[in-house]
Amino acid sequence: GDSVTQMEGPVTLSEEAFLTINCTYTATGYPSLFWYVQYPGEGLQLLLKATKADDKGSNKGFEATYRKETTSFHLEKGSVQVSDSAVYFCALSDGSGTDKLIFGTGTRLQVFP
Amino acid sequence: GAVVSQHPSWVICKSGTSVKIECRSLDFQATTMFWYRQFPKQSLMLMATSNEGSKATYEQGVEKDKFLINHASLTLSTLTVTSAHPEDSSFYICSAALRNTEAFFGQGTRLTVV
């Protein structure tokens, strides 16, 4: 079945460092891809998404490009801030119209001043 | 974005008792609600999909008689863990969505069965 694999954390960075969190997927159809973020004590929030190959999702300085050839959707940010500390989840929707999401395990990001 | 409220945030119960978790969409009417379960260091696993006014659709391996889901209105879905056991201890998360639009998540409920 469909699945999502993302790098284990925690990822620990200094403020203003470059961030990459890897995410790869396995899907039989044409999924949409998502990154969700969960700040401490809060629910998951949609960070960005891409619905077809070569689409780039972006929000709050974060970017991810839907790469069908490598089945990847890596999350990047050029300069992280302490406020970016959170857990990041990569997810896919199988495109069947059911709105079901399949999640990766989540990657905790810790940014220190 | 829209707000989904989940209650309680955490609960401790005795083995053999039942626990009810509520999921409310506060400022929109959700045609569909989803219930997830998350084990430590694992991904969110979809348990069931709940549509207002109809029976929930459970994922393979999820016991529908143990995890009772009721979606009585467009703003409320409940998950009842019946005859809870320590292995049911987990983090339960709901999400709510309008058809083919973004899903909004509750903050989750930490259940501990002792």
Side-chain angles (χ1 to χ4, degrees), chain B residues 91-110:
Chain B
F91 194 59
Y92 294 88
I93 303 172
C94 74
S95 72
L98 292 170
R99 184 68 177 170
N100 291 327
T101 63
E102 177 183 346
F104 297 93
F105 287 79
Q107 75 273 33
T109 297
R110 169 89 45 206

Side-chain angles (χ1 to χ4, degrees), chain B residues 32-46:
Chain B
T32 306
M33 289 187 173
F34 303 89
W35 287 96
Y36 295 85
R37 182 174 180 178
Q38 184 181 26
F39 292 100
K41 298 185 179 181
Q42 296 187 29
S43 61
L44 281 73
M45 302 299 296
L46 180 65

Side-chain angles (χ1 to χ4, degrees), chain A residues 5 22 38 42 46 49 60 64 69 98 102 113:
Chain A
T5 302
N22 290 337
Q38 185 175 31
E42 300 183 16
L46 179 64
K49 68 178 182 181
K60 300 180 180 180
E69 64 275 14
T98 63
I102 297 170

Side-chain angles (χ1 to χ4, degrees), chain B residues 23-56:
Chain B
C23 179
R24 294 181 183 273
S25 55
L26 297 185
D27 50 3
F28 70 103
Q29 293 183 325
T31 50
T32 306
M33 289 187 173
F34 303 89
W35 287 96
Y36 295 85
R37 182 174 180 178
Q38 184 181 26
F39 292 100
K41 298 185 179 181
Q42 296 187 29
S43 61
L44 281 73
M45 302 299 296
L46 180 65
M47 299 175 65
T49 303
S50 169
N51 292 297
E52 187 267 339
S54 62
K55 290 183 178 180

Side-chain angles (χ1 to χ4, degrees), chain B:
Chain B
V3 178
V4 174
S5 176
Q6 198 171 329
H7 178 80
S9 298
W10 58 270
V11 59
I12 300 173
C13 71
K14 291 185 177 180
S15 187
T17 62
S18 295
V19 175
K20 180 184 286 188
I21 302 169
E22 292 187 347
C23 179
R24 294 181 183 273
S25 55
L26 297 185
D27 50 3
F28 70 103
Q29 293 183 325
T31 50
T32 306
M33 289 187 173
F34 303 89
W35 287 96
Y36 295 85
R37 182 174 180 178
Q38 184 181 26
F39 292 100
K41 298 185 179 181
Q42 296 187 29
S43 61
L44 281 73
M45 302 299 296
L46 180 65
M47 299 175 65
T49 303
S50 169
N51 292 297
E52 187 267 339
S54 62
K55 290 183 178 180
T57 301
Y58 289 81
E59 296 299 301
Q60 190 173 9
V62 178
E63 300 175 59
K64 61 180 181 181
D65 294 330
K66 181 167 188 61
F67 299 100
L68 300 179
I69 292 173
N70 183 282
H71 193 163
S73 75
L74 286 172
T75 59
L76 174 64
S77 177
T78 61
L79 168 67
T80 301
V81 183
T82 63
S83 186
H85 291 282
E87 57 265 30
D88 299 324
S89 298
S90 192
F91 194 59
Y92 294 88
I93 303 172
C94 74
S95 72
L98 292 170
R99 184 68 177 170
N100 291 327
T101 63
E102 177 183 346
F104 297 93
F105 287 79
Q107 75 273 33
T109 297
R110 169 89 45 206
L111 170 63
T112 302
V113 184
V114 297

